[in-house]
């Protein structure tokens, strides 16, 4: 067997180990809470030793950031893909419908993310990294809104496209917080669509949401 073939097999095996650790960590974090989970519990759930863990991650924080990055990139891709279907003239209600239909609204993920937000709030270094990941989602939204400038007007109160992107992410945060409490995914999608349309237009194209 050549060295190249051996390296390829080791790389695939390591990628498989890493994926299993991430999947196990996600399940354990969702069930128990980020701050209540040990490395040993993640290893046990994945069926690996501590050595396997440390060959892939330096800490639970690093493992979580790998989880967060995957989910943040998925959400940014979903938003970018939904917004890319319009031409220069952004049809806001239609784009909002596509975004809210495709957007990941997974309650287990929201539980994990909320736990980690609390953790990051107490650790400035962790908070900086988390803010960098959140900024990618805002950039995807701001870039699309910027391409529509001159074709689609934004409410003046939002300022520029960066301000609009911050408002969109804030609406998403608020709706997902409510979802943690009432567990109603369909209502969350509808409510998010209504909020985003109201933010980015005069809001007159949608009926008032139920309370």
């Amino acid at each position: 067997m050549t060295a190249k073939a051996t390296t390829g097999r080791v790389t695939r095996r390591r990628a498989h180990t890493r994926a299993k650790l991430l999947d196990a960590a996600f399940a354990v974090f969702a069930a128990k809470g980020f701050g209540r989970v040990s490395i040993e519990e993640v290893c046990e759930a994945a069926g690996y030793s501590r050595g396997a863990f440390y060959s892939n991650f330096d800490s639970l924080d690093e493992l979580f950031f790998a989880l967060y990055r995957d989910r943040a990139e998925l959400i940014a891709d979903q938003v970018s893909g939904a917004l890319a279907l319009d031409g220069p003239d952004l049809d806001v209600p239609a784009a909002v419908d596509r975004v809210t239909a495709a957007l990941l609204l997974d309650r287990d993920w929201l539980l994990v993310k909320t736990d980690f937000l609390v953790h990051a709030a107490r650790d400035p270094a962790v908070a900086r990294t988390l803010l960098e990941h959140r900024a990618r989602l805002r950039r995807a939204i701001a870039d699309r809104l910027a391409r529509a400038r001159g074709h689609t007007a934004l409410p003046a109160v939002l300022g520029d496209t960066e301000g609009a992107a911050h408002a969109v992410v804030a609406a998403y945060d608020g709706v997902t917080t409510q979802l943690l409490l009432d567990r109603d995914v369909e209502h969350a999608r509808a409510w998010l669509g209504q909020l985003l349309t109201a933010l980015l237009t005069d809001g007159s194209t949608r009926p008032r949401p139920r309370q």
Side-chain angles (χ1 to χ4, degrees):
M1 181 179 295
T2 66
K4 182 176 181 180
T6 301
T7 300
R9 188 173 69 181
V10 170
T11 300
R12 287 194 297 273
R13 184 166 68 243
R14 182 170 182 177
H16 178 71
T17 300
R18 181 182 176 88
K20 284 194 67 176
L21 285 166
L22 287 168
D23 287 345
F26 180 84
V28 176
F29 288 159
K32 300 188 65 175
F34 174 80
R36 299 178 178 85
V37 174
S38 67
I39 290 174
E40 288 78 9
E41 287 173 298
V42 172
C43 293
E44 181 179 355
Y48 289 122
S49 66
R50 285 175 63 94
F53 180 93
Y54 283 115
S55 70
N56 288 275
F57 304 102
D58 290 334
S59 64
L60 284 175
D61 279 5
E62 183 183 342
L63 181 150
F64 181 84
F65 277 126
L67 275 175
Y68 189 91
R69 183 174 57 251
D70 288 348
R71 293 298 175 109
E73 289 177 353
L74 172 61
I75 291 171
D77 288 344
Q78 289 172 333
V79 171
S80 297
L83 294 178
L85 296 178
D86 280 320
D89 186 11
L90 181 63
D91 181 343
V92 171
V96 166
D97 283 343
R98 291 195 302 270
V99 169
T100 55
L103 198 59
L104 177 72
L105 289 175
D106 178 74
R107 191 171 180 275
D108 281 348
W109 166 242
L110 296 175
L111 285 168
V112 173
K113 186 182 78 167
T114 301
D115 277 342
F116 200 74
L117 284 171
V118 174
H119 172 59
R122 295 189 174 99
D123 187 326
V126 177
R128 283 193 297 273
T129 304
L130 196 58
L131 286 169
E132 290 169 5
H133 288 304
R134 285 172 62 84
R136 182 174 184 267
L137 177 59
R138 291 198 304 273
R139 284 196 300 272
I141 297 167
D143 287 350
R144 180 60 187 91
L145 294 175
R147 292 198 301 276
R149 293 190 72 174
H151 300 272
T152 304
L154 293 173
V157 70
L158 296 178
D160 56 13
T161 56
E162 292 291 333
H166 273 273
V168 167
V169 174
Y172 173 76
D173 286 341
V175 168
T176 53
T177 298
Q178 182 66 27
L179 174 58
L180 284 173
L181 300 176
D182 65 23
R183 302 169 182 255
D184 189 341
V185 174
E186 291 310 308
H187 180 229
R189 290 193 191 282
W191 184 217
L192 181 60
Q194 291 158 359
L195 281 178
L196 294 184
T197 300
L199 277 172
L200 300 176
T201 68
D202 63 6
S204 63
T205 58
R206 290 182 183 272
R208 182 178 177 85
R210 67 179 173 84
Q211 300 297 317

